[in-house]
Amino acid sequence: MTAPTSGLKTTEYRVVGMTCGSCAARIQKTLNKAEEVDEAVVNYATGRAQVTLGEDADDGVLVQKIDKLGYQLISLEDDSDEPIEDEDAKAARYWKYRAIIGLILTIPFIIHMVAMVFGYHLPDWWKMGLEPALATVILFGVGWPFIAQAIARAKAGSVNMFTLIAMGSSAAWLFSAYQQLTGNPQVYWEAAAFIVAFLSIGQWMEHRAKSHAGKALRALLNLGVKEARVLLPDGQEDMVPVRALGIGDVLRVLPGEQIPADGTITEGTASVDESMLTGESVPVRKQVGDQVAGATLNTDGALTIAVTALGHDSVLGKITEAVSRAQNEKAAAQQLADKISAVFVPVVIGIAVLTLIVHLIIGHPVATAVTAAVSVLIIACPCALGLATPMALMVSGGRASELGILVKGVQAMEQISALDVVVFDKTGTLTTGEMRVVGVDLIDDYDEAELLGLVGALEAQSEHPIAKAIVRYADDQGADRDHTVSDFVVLPGRGAQGEINDQLIQVGTAALVGDIPPQLATQIDQRRSDGATVSAIAVDAVVVGAIAIADQPREESSSVVADMHARGLEVVMLSGDNTVTANAIGKRLGIDRVIAEVLPEDKAGVISELKAAGKTVAMVGDGINDAPALSTADLGIAMGSGTQVAMEAADMTLMTADLHKVGQAMDIAQRTELIIRQNLGWAFGYNVLTIPIAALGWLRPEFAAAAMAFSSISVVSNSLRLRRVGRD
């Protein structure tokens, strides 16, 4: 990465072994204490750590420090072409299988509980034979990762939520084994089974969410071509890997090819499609001396380019870094469960030990003391806590998908109820992102159908987006394009011309067609003030009309803006387009504030400025250039019709291009955030109320297990209320 200051370098690492936000906080604290480190940021969501340290510092010391904590710190190759491995997707599959197996194996316990409710007594072999065997398989098979992590944390002198999970489930299993071996019929196998099964579901959902958080970065890093055509000193060309390029290398880029790296044009002219970076729907004409960015598309000319920036110094690299930085900032606001886990776990263990000691001191039998201590561990085991967030996300995600909305995470939902501003990208979001003819103006009643046939035939020879829009319009109007075009030529920056039926047909600027009659000039000025691009049309050097092309607003854009206003939100339109066009669209849609001509790397800065002013901000966009802004916003919403990078960077994705779903997405986010807070409040409140009861010996383990199950059922039932979103 680019060094932030002289003498420092920033390196990215993969962190292995993190299981919750408290793990990330502990690693970050340890790294920042090291003398070699200037600053360290650990992102639990993506499993990455960005560490800024002295240029000559040995990061082996850091690796050893983190290894002593029970985690692994693995340096990543900055310029590697290999796709980043999605470890969380693998972990999600791993926990998915464990959760499914665990749930299947708990069916006999559920049957037993139902039978007891209706007064039926199952055979002794069921509870004394089948259930112990299943509980053992579930705990030491399905739940082994919990135990292994608890052991690893203990060796490193630390604890986390896995410690409490392992202790609670193991205590229930050990106590039940003791009871059964001593002939006591009061056993609690179901407690151990349910703890592991429920928390496996939680791990599955959590790793799914984490996998989504890292996809934006992986998608960005996989953009662009992998090979470049290098022009050698002897004039020969050689295809080399992009990662092998150096500053100053001379590249040859042919029409229709992606530009491999940032550089300066040294030879040639071409229209370059920069929409993936700027959002501008019209390709930009580039000539000698102009700068071009890697991963943009050369549409119509051969270019020779001298490389000026690579990797993290490139435009795309800066966008990637901005997305990563925004995700790190989000990860700093950990979920409530993770924030208090470092305190909650040792406190519960301490209460259980203290309960055992106090009961023995006051003369209670050993069995009574052990029963009370086990009850504390069982009642405190965070089944409901572990389910609080993933269950709400699972239900809301299912309901959202039915409505055509993909929900990816919880962090952005925390402040949705306080939303102040919604920022819309213009091109491809509020507009269709496709150039269309919006009007044809003629002089002296020139026949429109005939003119469209001539112009359509001419423009059919070009691949330019404006030309394609004209051809499409001519076809829609039924114009006859069956003409032979000869001497066709594109005149850079001016337009195109050719011979049809012995007539010279020209489409373009005044520099190409000559003087424009005053009456037509007035109409052209009006079209341009409305945000359209206008090309004049001349036949045999006589201007006979003009055709206006524009990126039109979506049909529903006005009503969506009105809906945002009805919600009390300020509406801002953000665009890389020119000010005249952006203002015209903004006025037409009733936008409160228009911010135009914004560079790709500055879009996230606009969002940050709004947040710094105390605003809670939602961002709706569709392009690669929107990805940093989508990540920076409190709530990022991507259009499903947009780029994969934008969809991965956002917190929500609208699976269709229907902007009305923005309001539905906000409703789902708000309701989900409310349900999660209710779930967490219930889970923590439940522990606060029941732990003292268990410690006093007033709550036997079987009732503790039942209360724990009831707590989890309450969380599940509350989460299921999200199924009603959109139906109320």
Side-chain angles (χ1 to χ4, degrees):
M1 289 192 171
T2 304
T5 58
S6 178
L8 297 177
K9 64 177 181 179
T10 301
T11 305
E12 189 172 8
Y13 298 87
R14 179 162 57 92
V15 185
V16 179
M18 292 193 294
T19 59
C20 63
S22 61
C23 295
R26 182 179 177 86
I27 295 170
Q28 182 169 306
K29 183 178 180 180
T30 300
L31 288 172
N32 280 315
K33 283 185 176 179
E35 294 181 1
E36 299 86 355
V37 175
D38 181 73
E39 182 184 17
V41 178
V42 179
N43 188 335
Y44 171 58
T46 60
R48 298 288 186 264
Q50 288 185 356
V51 184
T52 302
L53 63 164
E55 194 169 2
D56 298 324
D58 180 11
D59 64 356
V61 177
L62 303 181
V63 173
Q64 292 177 4
K65 287 179 181 291
I66 302 306
D67 185 65
K68 289 180 181 179
L69 296 179
Y71 309 94
Q72 286 182 279
L73 200 64
I74 302 173
S75 179
L76 298 176
E77 289 285 339
D78 279 351
D79 295 325
S80 175
D81 280 339
E82 297 299 322
I84 299 176
E85 185 178 19
D86 188 353
E87 295 179 2
D88 283 303
K90 292 170 58 179
R93 292 192 296 270
Y94 174 83
W95 282 107
K96 176 183 178 180
Y97 298 138
R98 289 181 175 272
I100 292 173
I101 293 171
L103 287 175
I104 292 174
L105 295 181
T106 58
I107 292 175
F109 298 100
I110 297 173
I111 294 174
H112 192 175
M113 293 172 66
V114 173
M116 294 293 292
V117 170
F118 289 98
Y120 293 101
H121 294 280
L122 297 175
D124 289 343
W125 62 265
W126 186 283
K127 186 167 187 177
M128 308 305 288
L130 177 63
E131 290 186 355
L134 291 177
T136 301
V137 172
I138 292 173
L139 176 61
F140 295 103
V142 175
W144 178 250
F146 295 125
I147 298 173
Q149 280 289 336
I151 293 173
R153 297 286 80 76
K155 289 181 178 179
S158 63
V159 296
N160 62 7
M161 296 302 286
F162 275 23
T163 303
L164 194 55
I165 294 168
M167 290 189 68
S169 55
S170 298
W173 188 90
L174 289 170
F175 191 70
S176 296
Y178 170 79
Q179 291 286 84
Q180 189 157 325
L181 290 174
T182 56
N184 193 321
Q186 296 297 323
V187 292
Y188 319 107
W189 302 113
E190 68 279 0
F194 286 142
I195 289 171
V196 171
F198 286 155
L199 270 299
S200 294
I201 296 175
Q203 286 297 303
W204 171 28
M205 298 303 299
E206 183 173 348
H207 282 289
R208 279 189 62 195
K210 286 179 62 184
S211 174
H212 283 302
K215 282 186 177 179
L217 293 177
R218 288 189 292 274
L220 280 168
L221 291 172
N222 288 329
L223 280 175
V225 293
K226 300 302 179 185
E227 289 188 320
R229 184 180 290 100
V230 177
L231 193 61
L232 302 176
D234 61 2
Q236 299 296 313
E237 296 178 354
D238 185 24
M239 297 298 293
V240 302
V242 170
R243 62 177 300 187
L245 293 177
I247 303 299
D249 282 350
V250 179
L251 311 180
R252 189 74 170 162
V253 184
L254 301 180
E257 293 183 345
Q258 275 187 300
I259 295 172
D262 289 13
T264 301
I265 298 176
T266 60
E267 183 179 337
T269 60
S271 293
V272 178
D273 183 353
E274 297 180 326
S275 58
M276 54 85 70
L277 292 177
T278 66
E280 172 63 66
S281 51
V282 179
V284 179
R285 197 68 190 175
K286 299 284 188 176
Q287 57 189 358
V288 174
D290 288 342
Q291 299 293 315
V292 291
T296 56
L297 180 65
N298 174 13
T299 65
D300 62 5
L303 295 175
T304 302
I305 299 168
V307 176
T308 58
L310 294 164
H312 293 289
D313 293 329
S314 68
V315 173
L316 186 61
K318 290 176 181 177
I319 292 177
T320 303
E321 187 174 356
V323 172
S324 178
R325 184 169 57 251
Q327 288 186 340
N328 283 335
E329 290 170 356
K330 280 188 176 181
Q334 298 294 343
Q335 296 178 14
L336 182 58
D338 292 334
K339 288 180 179 179
I340 74 163
S341 62
V343 176
F344 181 69
V345 176
V347 166
V348 169
I349 295 173
I351 291 174
V353 173
L354 184 62
T355 297
L356 177 67
I357 294 173
V358 170
H359 277 282
L360 292 176
I361 290 176
I362 62 179
H364 287 166
V366 173
T368 300
V370 171
T371 298
V374 170
S375 296
V376 169
L377 289 175
I378 293 175
I379 203 71
C381 195
C383 275
L385 190 61
L387 283 174
T389 295
M391 182 56 66
L393 288 176
M394 182 168 64
V395 177
S396 67
R399 177 56 186 152
S401 64
E402 292 176 358
L403 296 174
I405 302 166
L406 175 63
V407 182
K408 299 181 181 178
V410 64
Q411 289 90 346
M413 298 178 185
E414 294 177 351
Q415 295 179 327
I416 190 63
S417 58
L419 201 64
D420 301 303
V421 181
V422 58
V423 179
F424 287 93
D425 170 58
K426 181 185 76 70
T427 305
T429 303
L430 287 174
T431 67
T432 62
E434 186 178 68
M435 301 299 288
R436 292 184 178 276
V437 173
V438 295
V440 177
D441 299 305
L442 303 175
I443 294 177
D444 297 332
D445 297 324
Y446 198 97
D447 186 83
E448 181 174 334
E450 180 182 351
L451 185 62
L452 284 175
L454 296 172
V455 173
L458 178 73
E459 296 288 30
Q461 312 303 308
S462 173
E463 292 297 318
H464 196 283
I466 288 180
K468 290 181 178 180
I470 293 174
V471 172
R472 185 166 53 247
Y473 181 76
D475 290 340
D476 290 343
Q477 299 302 309
D480 180 12
R481 294 195 293 109
D482 189 16
H483 299 290
T484 301
V485 180
S486 60
D487 297 329
F488 174 80
V489 62
V490 173
L491 302 167
R494 293 189 291 170
Q497 66 181 34
E499 294 278 348
I500 300 178
N501 300 332
D502 295 326
Q503 292 178 303
L504 175 63
I505 309 299
Q506 297 173 304
V507 181
T509 65
L512 174 65
V513 302
D515 294 334
I516 297 176
Q519 65 270 34
L520 186 60
T522 301
Q523 293 172 308
I524 290 176
D525 289 342
Q526 181 59 50
R527 296 283 191 186
R528 286 174 176 163
S529 67
D530 291 337
T533 298
V534 183
S535 293
I537 305 169
V539 177
D540 284 335
V542 177
V543 176
V544 297
I547 188 164
I549 304 97
D551 180 12
Q552 290 290 85
R554 297 181 186 274
E555 292 182 2
E556 71 274 18
S557 292
S558 295
S559 61
V560 170
V561 171
D563 177 50
M564 296 299 106
H565 286 151
R567 294 170 183 268
L569 301 177
E570 178 187 359
V571 181
V572 175
M573 188 177 79
L574 194 62
S575 177
D577 214 338
N578 66 79
T579 301
V580 173
T581 300
N583 283 335
I585 296 293
K587 182 179 180 180
R588 181 173 173 182
L589 298 179
I591 303 292
D592 298 313
R593 181 182 173 194
V594 175
I595 305 176
E597 300 183 19
V598 182
L599 295 175
E601 58 269 28
D602 293 336
K603 284 193 172 185
V606 173
I607 302 298
S608 296
E609 289 176 4
L610 290 170
K611 292 173 68 175
K615 305 289 187 180
T616 303
V617 185
M619 170 70 189
V620 186
D622 74 311
I624 292 171
N625 61 313
D626 299 322
L630 289 167
S631 289
T632 303
D634 296 296
L635 178 66
I637 303 176
M639 302 291 289
S641 57
T643 64
Q644 186 69 22
V645 172
M647 288 187 277
E648 299 299 352
D651 303 292
M652 290 183 170
T653 296
L654 312 183
M655 302 309 291
T656 69
D658 185 3
L659 272 177
H660 287 302
K661 294 191 179 297
V662 172
Q664 289 182 326
M666 290 180 177
D667 290 338
I668 289 175
Q670 188 171 7
R671 289 286 292 276
T672 303
E673 186 266 346
L674 176 62
I675 291 295
I676 288 174
R677 288 187 177 277
Q678 290 175 347
N679 286 350
L680 290 174
W682 163 254
F684 284 122
Y686 156 83
N687 282 323
V688 169
L689 292 174
T690 55
I691 288 177
I693 297 174
L696 292 171
W698 298 345
L699 189 66
R700 293 182 57 79
E702 62 266 34
F703 296 116
M708 180 199 68
F710 174 73
S711 176
S712 298
I713 291 171
S714 298
V715 166
V716 172
S717 299
N718 192 44
S719 298
L720 289 174
R721 293 169 54 212
L722 288 165
R723 295 285 302 164
R724 297 202 298 266
V725 174
R727 295 191 176 103
D728 298 343

